């Protein structure tokens, strides 16, 4: 056996050992198997919309996805490739469970590094039992943890992402938002800045969906989407205020000797946040359930995970206003500024645009 062959054989054996023995390797194997199954079951939407064996409601939603995809490309200038031209299914209501974790006495997420996407503050699991085991292990290790369902994800253009039955169960407004949101990820992804990526996609997804429905003469749906954006901004402000209160509390009590003091102050911040939830946030969201605020889970992980999708929303809106409401121009200006900015400075670049 030649030297080159021996080198490749050794590398292959090391790769197999990594995938089988290490937790990261086993996670990648499970995720790869699930993704392969999703891709294997893909069917062309062009064919399905004319398949009379499918119920009319399903075919109508598939046509809506086709229209939303065309709108995202033609009106917003997003890159779609062949994403959302096929349909696939999983045998459950939820696609993945997303696990996030944060340190209890400081505002820092536990992150993982992956090729292409960089560091991200969450990890998706197709294996739900594994997701719950991971959350439990993180809490046992002293972290705050959060687990939430997700009905869609993006491979950032590496694969032609299909529409999934988990997304198709959503109402029309949420379905259009999902299509546009995921295509934003395929078009713009700032490596290592998940907060900017998700919040920006949230902004474009919601405003894009509102524009989409208005362009079809469905002003009621457009108005409903815009009301949802107002609620997103309310929640974004709440989590930003809570985050800032925690930051100040932790900064005022530095060092290992004051860890218990930081944890006590953390409890006080969360108690005050619950009062604010009941008195201010619930009415603004139209929530009438008096138990809602008391039942909402609050810890460092939940605050920071929810901010992933709601950080800097007023900054994005300011650029949209500066562009006279032209979402395509606002999208391009924000994307260009973020991509040109130094690492970690995307929001500062966007703030400068809206001045």
């Amino acid at each position: 056996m030649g030297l080159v062959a021996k080198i490749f054989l050794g590398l292959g054996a090391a790769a197999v050992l990594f995938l089988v023995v290490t937790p990261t390797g086993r996670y990648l194997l499970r995720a790869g198997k699930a993704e392969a199954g999703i891709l294997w079951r893909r069917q062309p939407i062009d064919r399905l919309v004319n398949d009379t064996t499918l119920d009319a409601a399903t075919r109508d939603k598939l046509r809506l996805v086709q229209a939303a995809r065309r709108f995202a490309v033609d009106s917003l200038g997003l890159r779609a490739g062949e994403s959302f031209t096929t349909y696939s299914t999983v045998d459950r209501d939820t696609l993945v469970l997303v696990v996030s974790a944060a340190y209890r006495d400081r505002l820092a997420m536990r992150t993982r590094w992956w090729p292409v996407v960089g560091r991200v503050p969450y990890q998706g699991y197709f294996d739900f039992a594994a997701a719950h085991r991971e959350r439990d292990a993180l809490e046992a290790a002293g972290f705050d943890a959060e687990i939430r369902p997700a009905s869609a994800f993006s491979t950032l253009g590496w694969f032609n992402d299909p529409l999934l039955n988990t997304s198709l169960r959503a109402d029309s407004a949420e379905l259009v938002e999902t299509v546009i949101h995921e295509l934003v990820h395929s078009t713009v992804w700032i490596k290592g800045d998940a907060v900017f990526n998700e919040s920006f996609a949230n902004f474009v997804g919601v405003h894009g969906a509102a524009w989409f429905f208005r362009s079809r003469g469905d002003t009621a749906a457009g108005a409903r989407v815009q009301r949802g954006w107002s609620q997103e901004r309310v929640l974004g402000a709440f989590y930003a205020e809570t985050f800032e209160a925690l930051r100040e509390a932790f900064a005022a009590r530095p060092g290992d000797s004051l860890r218990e003091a930081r944890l006590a102050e953390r409890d006080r911040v969360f108690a005050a946040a619950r009062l604010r939830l009941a008195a201010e946030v619930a009415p603004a969201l139209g929530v009438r359930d008096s138990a809602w605020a008391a039942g909402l889970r609050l810890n460092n992980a939940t605050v920071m995970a929810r901010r992933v999708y709601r950080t800097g929303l007023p900054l994005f809106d300011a650029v949209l206003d500066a562009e006279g409401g032209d979402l395509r121009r606002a999208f391009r200006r924000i994307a260009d500024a973020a991509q040109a900015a130094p690492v970690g400075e995307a929001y500062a670049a966007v703030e400068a645009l809206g001045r």
Side-chain angles (χ1 to χ4, degrees), residues 49 58-70 171-173 175-176 179 212-213 216:
V49 295
T58 296
R59 283 182 284 140
D60 285 345
K61 279 197 169 181
L62 290 173
R63 291 189 186 97
L64 183 69
V65 168
Q66 289 181 312
R69 183 183 177 279
R70 285 194 299 270
D171 63 27
S172 296
L175 182 58
V176 173
V179 170
F212 169 81
F213 286 114
R216 293 161 64 92

Side-chain angles (χ1 to χ4, degrees), residues 244-254 261-262 265-266 268-269:
E244 184 60 22
L246 288 168
R247 188 194 65 77
E248 291 178 359
F250 292 160
R253 298 160 181 82
R262 288 197 297 277
E265 190 62 13
R266 168 185 183 270
R268 186 197 66 75
V269 169

